[in-house]
Every structure is written in structure tokens, then in C-alpha cells.
């Protein structure tokens, strides 16, 4: 992997320096993310991502950003699950098996990571490779190990 990365960054990657033999690989996994996403923030993130994608891919789609927010809030506040013989209401976050859980979590993590990179622009030059799938983040860092440990600890 390092051999491919040494050639430079790919389109869409942070425009930092290419990974080298001294680059530090890292991975981050958010523990118990699904049940801990605040409903309002998660709905805002999902609606904002929908608005952006709608504008780029299907501007004539009738579903608005406000509609998406309302749909996500309705689903979030009306999700039930069973535990043994009991039927319970989801009180925060989203249930892992809920129909919109993956989109909800993906939109939330996208917004979180984007906000971090905007607030900390110096990290873009230290991360020649940064990939995310839902709550899993993988990358290479061109910084001292203590700086990478700090980033992973955020």
C-alpha cells in the first residue's frame, strides 16, 4: 500500500504530501455510535447531505431539505424494537437495524469529519490518505506518532 501512496495523492484526497516509509497508519472506530447520535443533529446532517446531493445529482427531485429533516425526525422518534417479549421505544440515536440507520450514521460522521478538517486545516497536509466507512476511519499520517495519537484520540 505504501508503494502506491508514495506516488502522490489521488483526486479527492487531502492535498498533503504522499505517504512515505515513515508514515504512520491508523484506524479509528467509534464505539456504540448508532445509539448515541443525537436525533436533532443527526437529522440536520442527513438533511444537509440530502440537499447537497440533490443539488448535484437530481435538482428536480420534489423532496426538500426540510422534508428530509422531518422524515428523519419522524422515523427517529417513532422507532421501536423488541427486547425479549417487551416492545420498547428508541429514546436516542438509532437502532442498528432501522431502515435509515446507515444513512443517518453516514451523514452524521461525514459532517463530523468535515467539520474537524475545516476547523483544523493543518491536518489536511498531514493525512495523505484518509478513508471512512460509516464509523470506521483509516489513513496514513505524515506527522510524529504523538500527533497521530492525538488525532486518533479526538
Amino acid at each position: 500500500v505504501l508503494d502506491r501512496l508514495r506516488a502522490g495523492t489521488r483526486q479527492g484526497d487531502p492535498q498533503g504530501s504522499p505517504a512515505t516509509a515513515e508514515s504512520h497508519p491508523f484506524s479509528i472506530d467509534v464505539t456504540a455510535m448508532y445509539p448515541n447520535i443525537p436525533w436533532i443533529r443527526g437529522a440536520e446532517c442527513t438533511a444537509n447531505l440530502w440537499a447537497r446531493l440533490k443539488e448535484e445529482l437530481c435538482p428536480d427531485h420534489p423532496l426538500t431539505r426540510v422534508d428530509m429533516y422531518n422524515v428523519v425526525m419522524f422515523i427517529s422518534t417513532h422507532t421501536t424494537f423488541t427486547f425479549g417479549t417487551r416492545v420498547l421505544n428508541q429514546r436516542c440515536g438509532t437502532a442498528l437495524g432501522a431502515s435509515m440507520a446507515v444513512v443517518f450514521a453516514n451523514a452524521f460522521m461525514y459532517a463530523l469529519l468535515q467539520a474537524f478538517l475545516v476547523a483544523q486545516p493543518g491536518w489536511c497536509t498531514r493525512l495523505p490518505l484518509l478513508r471512512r466507512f460509516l464509523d470506521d476511519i483509516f489513513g496514513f499520517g505524515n506527522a510524529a506518532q504523538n500527533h497521530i495519537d492525538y488525532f486518533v484520540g479526538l
Side-chain angles (χ1 to χ4, degrees), residues 93-123:
T94 185
L96 188 55
S99 59
M100 60 107 187
V102 173
V103 172
F104 187 73
N106 196 31
F108 180 76
M109 283 300 294
Y110 172 81
L112 199 65
L113 187 57
Q114 291 301 315
F116 171 79
L117 292 174
V118 166
Q120 303 290 328
W123 278 104

Side-chain angles (χ1 to χ4, degrees), residues 1-61:
V1 172
L2 281 174
D3 290 335
R4 288 193 330 231
L5 294 173
R6 284 188 189 109
T9 59
R10 294 182 357 184
Q11 185 177 4
D13 287 340
Q15 296 302 311
S17 58
T20 67
E22 288 77 38
S23 296
H24 302 281
F26 65 87
S27 65
I28 305 169
D29 182 41
V30 179
T31 305
M33 179 184 70
Y34 284 85
N36 290 305
I37 299 171
W39 284 340
I40 292 173
R41 182 70 178 123
E44 289 170 350
C45 294
T46 304
N48 290 341
L49 184 58
W50 165 249
R52 185 175 146 238
L53 292 174
K54 176 186 173 184
E55 183 180 316
E56 291 175 16
L57 303 175
C58 51
D60 297 330
H61 196 286

